[in-house]
Amino acid sequence: MDITINKQMVQKNEKEKDFTPVFKINNLNLWYGQDHALKDIKFDIPEKQVTAIIGPSGCGKSTFIKTLNRMVEMVPIVRMSGEIVYREKNIFDPKYGVEELRTQVGMVFQKPNPFPKSIYENVAYGPRIHGIKNKKVLDEVVEKSLRGAAIWDEVKDRLHENAYGLSGGQQQRLCIARCLAIEPDVILMDEPTSALDPISTLKVEELVQELKKDYSIVIVTHNMQQAARISDRTAFFLNGEVVEYTDTSTLFSNPSDKRTEDYITGRFG
Ligand SMILES: Nc1ncnc2c1ncn2[C@@H]1O[C@H](COP(=O)(O)OP(=O)(O)OP(=O)(O)O)[C@@H](O)[C@H]1O
Ligand SMILES: [Mg+2]
């Protein structure tokens, strides 16, 4: 019995180490004024895998994901301590500019938020800001990004029409294309399918599986089936703490914490 447990634990530990981290989070704490929203968060996020963040409303999922590209600092009352290391660089180091970080770490939001511009201009926007002016190069980036976001065939004949004319699911894939156009390393997604119908949701889920070949993805989701379907690793957040973080199949089939078990079996949240 003891031997079996030891063997299982060794195997588990080996598995846990079996990735290259893109982010290392060490003792991260965050307060909104007096409200302690993230408590001693400590875990590593793997490269070229999908990491799901799950947990009940208000547990700090969005707050956490927004620390990774420093968007959370747009809230003036935020205070933080601890460290987030992205590819060996501390993202809070004043020498490491926030703009540089955000070209590496792109974000897709809950509600599709295209600009009130053409489909083409939505995707070309980021590359233009980065100084690309050549029309041929821009055309190529736009096509490549729209193909990467699995929406090219649907929009190739209407590139110069307004993006608001697209369906919600198409708008969300356009926003993913806009994110790909800046050639990020990591893509953060905060409940990217919660405003979408089931068919569009499936398309985005399939796309996420495709994208992880080239990108590291962190996805917040309220939907546990979605986390189980599309992620490699899952972190369960509760009241600002990470209760459990492990490979997705273990978390859903054999959670080690009672609170995780209660949550995934629907006893609360
Ligand atoms: N801008 C803000 N100002 C003050 N408090 C905030 C702010 N944003 C979030 N909070 C608080 O921080 C805590 C975590 O919120 P957060 O939005 O990160 O939760 P969440 O897990 O994403 O929830 P949901 O599933 O509902 O999206 C909550 O108590 C919330 O009220
Ligand atoms: Mg949220």
Side-chain angles (χ1 to χ4, degrees):
M1 180 79 173
D2 276 355
I3 293 168
T4 327
I5 289 170
N6 278 340
K7 206 170 156 195
Q8 275 178 356
M9 293 205 26
V10 170
Q11 279 175 349
K12 195 173 169 194
N13 288 341
E14 286 306 310
K15 211 170 173 182
E16 308 258 283
K17 274 187 288 180
D18 193 20
F19 63 73
T20 308
V22 60
F23 276 109
K24 292 187 231 168
I25 297 119
N26 291 317
N27 304 102
L28 177 70
N29 283 277
L30 183 145
W31 293 263
Y32 291 107
Q34 298 298 311
D35 182 10
H36 197 176
L38 296 177
K39 300 169 188 159
D40 271 323
I41 309 284
K42 191 176 186 324
F43 68 96
D44 293 350
I45 293 176
E47 179 180 64
K48 294 190 179 170
Q49 293 190 23
V50 179
T51 302
I53 310 290
I54 62 165
S57 187
C59 70
K61 304 180 296 297
S62 296
T63 301
F64 171 71
I65 202 171
K66 284 188 287 185
T67 62
L68 300 177
N69 66 351
R70 296 188 51 187
M71 258 189 51
V72 78
E73 292 163 51
M74 289 157 90
V75 182
I77 54 171
V78 159
R79 276 186 307 127
M80 278 189 276
S81 69
E83 190 182 58
I84 300 181
V85 178
Y86 164 68
R87 302 245 184 234
E88 310 306 324
K89 286 188 198 154
N90 181 352
I91 67 167
F92 301 123
D93 183 337
K95 281 186 277 181
Y96 189 38
V98 74
E99 291 311 322
E100 190 187 336
L101 176 69
R102 289 192 194 142
T103 61
Q104 298 297 319
V105 184
M107 186 150 183
V108 176
F109 298 86
Q110 181 167 5
K111 278 195 18 217
N113 59 348
F115 306 130
K117 291 173 184 283
S118 71
I119 293 165
Y120 183 99
E121 284 307 324
N122 263 274
V123 184
Y125 183 84
R128 277 195 210 280
I129 287 199
H130 290 109
I132 300 179
K133 295 195 182 83
N134 184 302
K135 167 125 179 18
K136 192 160 169 284
V137 176
L138 281 174
D139 286 354
E140 279 167 14
V141 174
V142 168
E143 177 169 343
K144 185 167 170 231
S145 307
L146 289 166
R147 282 189 189 279
I151 191 181
W152 171 251
D153 288 338
E154 288 158 76
V155 299
K156 63 177 192 285
D157 300 324
R158 53 194 282 203
L159 290 176
H160 299 287
E161 287 174 28
N162 197 294
Y164 285 176
L166 298 172
S167 74
Q170 289 173 328
Q171 288 186 11
Q172 192 62 306
R173 281 177 287 138
L174 176 65
C175 293
I176 294 171
R178 188 175 64 188
C179 179
L180 299 182
I182 56 163
E183 301 193 328
D185 176 27
V186 182
I187 303 176
L188 309 175
M189 298 181 161
D190 192 351
E191 305 206 43
T193 63
S194 67
L196 307 184
D197 65 84
I199 291 171
S200 304
T201 296
L202 193 69
K203 284 198 177 149
V204 172
E205 288 187 4
E206 284 169 358
L207 176 57
V208 168
Q209 293 298 292
E210 214 32 57
L211 292 175
K212 79 170 184 184
K213 293 180 190 146
D214 299 309
Y215 305 91
S216 311
I217 297 172
V218 186
I219 181 166
V220 169
T221 176
H222 249 113
N223 180 329
M224 284 187 274
Q225 285 78 22
Q226 179 169 75
R229 275 196 299 271
I230 68 172
S231 73
D232 301 288
R233 300 181 65 79
T234 300
F236 169 52
F237 277 57
L238 186 63
N239 297 326
E241 283 176 70
V242 177
V243 169
E244 191 160 348
Y245 173 59
T246 186
D247 58 284
T248 298
S249 55
T250 306
L251 191 127
F252 285 102
S253 63
N254 191 16
S256 61
D257 193 289
K258 177 79 171 61
R259 292 167 295 174
T260 315
E261 190 181 334
D262 286 350
Y263 184 69
I264 63 173
T265 55
R267 274 184 213 129
F268 69 91

